[in-house]
Amino acid sequence: MVPKIDTKIRTKDGVRAFLAVFLVATVAVATMGLPLLYGGVTTTAEAAEPTADVESYDSISQAESSLGAADDIYLKDDGSAVLHYKDDSSDLNKFDLGVDVSEGLVHMLVVDDTDNQNAEYEEASFSAVLDQSGLSGDGSMIMQKPDDLKDLNAEVSGEVSSEANTFDASATGTFESQAATAGTVSTNGHVTATPDRLETSGSVSVEGGMGAAASGTYMDVSLEDTNSGYTLDMTQEQLVSEWSASQWETREKAKQTLQQQYASVATGLGGSSEVTISNYNFVEQSNGQYKLTLEFTVEYSGIDNGIEQQLASQLASDPSTDLSRSEATEIASTVTDLEIETLEFTLDGSGGSMDADWTIAIANYDELSLAMIDMIEASSASGEIPQEDIESARTAIEAQQAADLTWKLEWDGSIEQTSNQEMKLDASISSNTENWGAYIDKLESEGVEPPKDVTFEMSAKTDGDELALDAQFDLEAKDLATQAVNAWAKSVQSSSTTMSSDADQFVQALAESELEVARVDANLGDGTVRIEGGARFKDMSKLTDTVSNSMSISGVASETNDGSASVYVYVDDMGDVDTASATKSDIEHLDVVGSKTTVHAAGEWDEEFPPVKTDEMQNYLKTDSNDGDDKDDKNGGDSIPGFGMGVGLAAIAGLLTTFVLRLRE
């Protein structure tokens, strides 16, 4: 989880606290990309909840003032100064921290050894980039194969663009299983949906286990839509227990029982039903049960009129809707206009197995779809839904109808539990959409923004004792970075947690700083972990102004030597302090000065400090100060790695925070 902006980190000094919060907030912004588009404000707020082990402060000022001071302050005669923070106990292999306020750049690199004693993860790399044109990433991991996994080959891919909307997934594998009963479950089928017709057919087969429980049961059902109502034809065979035998022991009693079972449906809808038995057989078995065989027909009439009258009355009298009787009747009629072209279902349980098949086709629901939009618009709940969203939904339905948009889904899969405690999986599913390009063109012609362009690929494969995972992701969306930050700031500010004025100011400043690009990378291998993250803002001064009212920070640099890590904060303006002649007594009122702080007066020192590595930060983000927003190749020609997107970015943010915490004391 990524800390909220009003959560502060207890480090050795206030500047480190600011840097930690600032960097984690930057990376957190990248985490918001997907929730913003597909999860909304609620998901974004949840993604920003603080972790349990990060200490909280009421404001950034409190964090700055209560967390110690610089080790050294080097004053210059031009009103500027350098603040030095040192950690002699650091055991990191490499630690680079950089901030260039004028260029709006933030960067952090950490390299350290990792124990990985069990060598569970042999290699791993993942990262992601968020900018004004989208969110993209890829990543890979090689790890030890889990003990209960024998083999696996899985692939998932998908695309949503202006021309295509497709999805494919397949998996085969063998797993250890402690199930005591052998058996197989398999299924296949398809669904085809158009703006006014839905068709599906498929089958399910169960051998052993649950299949044995259905033994002795057979059912063949069909429902036909007629001019006067509906006709149900059914053939069934089933075992009847002794206690319920009296309901079926004669043909007349069987008819009475069927009439009771099926008449209530018609009666409740204001119609009528008639049962006709064409075949009846009731035979006692040797085990005390009875075998019932029936073929019968149920004819329903007057149901549609009953549905229309009841539904119209309910809608017209519902206080949550604002519908006249005629409007309610019109909506109700679209329900009964539905046409059942085909409805067939067969269930056969025998010999320790069960097989089920179905074929269903429903048509003429195009007017019903639009009627539902009318009903939503007329209900009191519409006040909670922006009118723009309601109209967009209506336009989308009309565009689907105009383009004859057709969606198809197919699947085929089986799971087998073997007698030697193994479970075998073999499954595939795919979908595609016909006339998608025409649908998108229609949306755009009506002024409705089409879905964001998304492509992704994921795979998992075993090779000997190893399991390899790979993933690629790309989401194209105009001004995504700005949208992400603004939505994140809004969700944090409107959350149930009370924010101080300083924290609220920081959140607002982050939004106003206009994030242009944020990137994060991580690699694990050969006993080393490498984590790097960075961001560029259009105007970072708004953020630095919220950290200190008395100092103007221009940049930050760092260096690591022989287990000692140092951070240098460059201050352009020390406020009302005359740095040319100031001593410690002249600046000890500042929060960055403590009893153990050594103040070096101007002209009395000749130390050299590491420069702010602006070029390296720009190169990492593949940008320079003249790029502006014209970045046709946002990935610099290479894919930007990112495994597990939202989760991965949040994890990296946590790791970055952890490494900053190690630089305390």
Side-chain angles (χ1 to χ4, degrees):
M1 301 296 287
V2 180
K4 287 184 179 178
I5 290 301
D6 60 346
T7 301
K8 304 299 171 280
I9 304 170
R10 183 175 293 280
T11 62
K12 182 178 179 181
D13 53 80
V15 174
R16 291 181 197 172
F18 159 65
L19 293 173
V21 172
F22 185 69
L23 186 57
V24 171
T26 300
V27 180
V29 167
T31 312
M32 304 308 155
L34 284 178
L36 169 67
L37 289 171
Y38 298 111
V41 172
T42 301
T43 304
T44 305
E46 291 174 353
E49 287 298 320
T51 53
D53 55 350
V54 178
E55 187 160 350
S56 178
Y57 293 85
D58 292 334
S59 68
I60 290 177
S61 298
Q62 179 186 344
E64 180 186 0
S65 63
S66 65
L67 294 176
D71 294 299
D72 297 275
I73 297 179
Y74 297 88
L75 300 176
K76 299 181 182 182
D77 56 12
D78 60 356
S80 64
V82 178
L83 313 181
H84 174 217
Y85 297 88
K86 187 176 182 180
D87 183 3
D88 294 325
S89 62
S90 173
D91 59 354
L92 296 173
N93 293 347
K94 186 174 184 179
F95 171 72
D96 284 338
L97 181 63
V99 176
D100 187 326
V101 175
S102 64
E103 295 291 336
L105 296 170
V106 180
H107 177 262
M108 184 178 189
L109 170 65
V110 175
V111 180
D112 200 7
D113 297 329
T114 178
D115 292 336
N116 197 22
Q117 296 178 353
N118 298 324
E120 181 180 359
Y121 302 102
E122 299 180 11
E123 296 178 16
S125 65
F126 55 94
S127 50
V129 63
L130 169 69
D131 61 18
Q132 294 291 38
S133 59
L135 175 67
S136 60
D138 65 58
S140 63
M141 178 183 295
I142 299 177
M143 59 183 293
Q144 285 186 341
K145 186 174 63 177
D147 293 338
D148 58 353
L149 175 63
K150 292 196 171 184
D151 63 80
L152 178 66
N153 187 347
E155 295 184 355
V156 180
S157 63
E159 175 186 356
V160 177
S161 65
S162 60
E163 296 298 329
N165 185 346
T166 63
F167 175 82
D168 292 280
S170 63
T172 59
T174 305
F175 309 83
E176 292 184 1
S177 174
Q178 302 301 317
T181 305
T184 302
V185 178
S186 60
T187 179
N188 64 79
H190 82 276
V191 177
T192 301
T194 72
D196 66 350
R197 189 174 186 275
L198 172 68
E199 177 188 352
T200 177
S201 64
S203 65
V204 175
S205 178
V206 181
E207 296 181 6
M210 292 184 297
S215 182
T217 300
Y218 177 82
M219 180 184 299
D220 187 351
V221 183
S222 67
L223 181 65
E224 182 183 0
D225 194 340
T226 66
N227 292 331
S228 59
Y230 303 91
T231 299
L232 174 70
D233 288 308
M234 180 178 294
T235 299
Q236 71 178 66
E237 294 179 3
Q238 68 182 73
L239 294 176
V240 178
S241 62
E242 184 177 0
W243 66 267
S244 60
S246 60
Q247 298 176 354
W248 306 99
E249 59 187 2
T250 67
R251 191 185 192 97
E252 185 61 30
K253 287 186 177 181
K255 182 175 182 178
Q256 292 176 2
T257 301
L258 292 173
Q259 191 72 39
Q260 291 172 358
Q261 291 178 345
Y262 293 95
S264 59
V265 176
T267 302
L269 295 173
S272 61
S273 64
E274 178 63 33
V275 176
T276 302
I277 297 178
S278 57
N279 184 30
Y280 167 83
N281 194 22
F282 191 71
V283 180
E284 185 175 3
Q285 305 292 295
S286 59
N287 58 3
Q289 291 184 314
Y290 297 83
K291 183 176 182 180
L292 172 66
T293 302
L294 280 175
E295 292 182 29
F296 62 94
T297 299
V298 182
E299 293 181 296
Y300 295 100
S301 59
I303 290 180
D304 285 351
N305 290 335
I307 292 175
E308 284 190 28
Q309 293 175 7
Q310 291 187 28
L311 183 56
S313 297
Q314 291 176 2
L315 292 175
S317 60
D318 190 338
S320 66
T321 64
D322 184 20
L323 293 171
S324 65
R325 180 71 190 193
S326 61
E327 290 172 333
T329 300
E330 184 177 352
I331 291 176
S333 66
T334 63
V335 176
T336 56
D337 285 343
L338 282 174
E339 179 184 352
I340 300 176
E341 293 184 354
T342 305
L343 197 160
E344 298 175 353
F345 176 77
T346 302
L347 175 66
D348 186 2
S350 60
S353 66
M354 181 190 72
D355 297 294
D357 300 272
W358 70 89
T359 300
I360 301 172
I362 301 174
N364 204 32
Y365 54 72
D366 49 342
E367 292 300 324
L368 175 61
S369 300
L370 293 173
M372 293 300 98
I373 298 295
D374 293 336
M375 188 171 66
I376 292 173
E377 190 172 23
S379 71
S380 59
S382 64
E384 303 173 5
I385 305 175
Q387 183 64 29
E388 181 181 355
D389 291 348
I390 295 176
E391 290 305 319
S392 294
R394 186 192 307 278
T395 302
I397 292 175
E398 292 173 343
Q400 292 171 12
Q401 295 173 352
D404 192 23
L405 187 67
T406 302
W407 176 71
K408 295 183 177 181
L409 172 71
E410 296 181 348
W411 72 90
D412 189 355
S414 65
I415 299 177
E416 178 185 2
Q417 175 64 50
T418 66
S419 57
N420 59 350
Q421 294 187 327
E422 285 186 353
M423 184 180 71
K424 295 182 178 294
L425 168 69
D426 187 353
S428 64
I429 184 171
S430 64
S431 72
N432 67 82
T433 308
E434 298 177 358
N435 303 323
W436 179 258
Y439 167 64
I440 296 298
D441 291 343
K442 186 64 176 176
L443 284 182
E444 292 178 334
S445 69
E446 296 295 332
V448 176
E449 184 178 356
K452 311 297 182 184
D453 286 359
V454 179
T455 58
F456 60 90
E457 294 181 2
M458 293 175 282
S459 67
K461 297 181 180 180
T462 53
D463 183 6
D465 293 331
E466 296 178 341
L467 173 62
L469 307 174
D470 291 278
Q472 295 178 337
F473 180 91
D474 186 72
L475 166 66
E476 295 183 12
K478 185 179 179 181
D479 299 328
L480 181 59
T482 299
Q483 294 178 46
V485 176
N486 290 341
W488 173 79
K490 181 179 179 180
S491 66
V492 171
Q493 291 172 324
S494 62
S495 66
S496 57
T497 304
T498 302
M499 295 178 62
S500 67
S501 59
D502 285 346
D504 183 76
Q505 180 186 3
F506 187 90
V507 172
Q508 188 60 37
L510 181 62
E512 294 175 356
S513 296
E514 299 183 49
L515 176 71
E516 294 179 335
V517 58
R519 177 177 174 176
V520 61
D521 300 83
N523 292 276
L524 174 68
D526 297 326
T528 301
V529 59
R530 185 181 190 276
I531 302 174
E532 188 170 13
R536 187 186 72 181
F537 293 85
K538 187 174 183 179
D539 184 6
M540 188 183 290
S541 62
K542 296 180 182 296
L543 281 170
T544 57
D545 288 345
T546 67
V547 177
S548 175
N549 294 323
S550 59
M551 299 183 300
S552 175
I553 299 174
S554 62
V556 177
S558 66
E559 62 181 3
T560 305
N561 293 310
D562 299 326
S564 176
S566 292
V567 175
Y568 299 89
V569 179
Y570 300 106
V571 181
D572 277 351
D573 186 356
M574 291 290 287
D576 57 359
V577 176
D578 181 6
T579 58
S581 60
T583 62
K584 183 174 183 178
S585 61
D586 297 317
I587 64 172
E588 60 186 1
H589 64 284
L590 299 176
D591 294 330
V592 294
V593 181
S595 60
K596 296 182 179 181
T597 300
T598 301
V599 177
H600 305 269
E604 296 183 4
W605 53 272
D606 58 0
E607 279 78 358
E608 295 183 359
F609 307 110
V612 175
K613 301 175 182 179
T614 302
D615 291 342
E616 292 185 14
M617 288 189 281
Q618 290 174 337
N619 183 61
Y620 173 69
L621 294 170
K622 292 183 174 61
T623 182
D624 59 55
S625 59
N626 297 319
D627 278 349
D629 292 329
D630 185 15
K631 301 186 291 298
D632 292 337
D633 184 4
K634 68 174 182 283
N635 292 345
D638 298 324
S639 63
I640 302 295
F643 186 80
M645 299 315 298
V647 175
L649 289 170
I652 294 300
L655 286 173
L656 290 172
T657 306
T658 301
F659 279 114
V660 173
L661 287 170
R662 294 185 60 176
L663 299 179
R664 63 190 182 124
E665 298 178 356

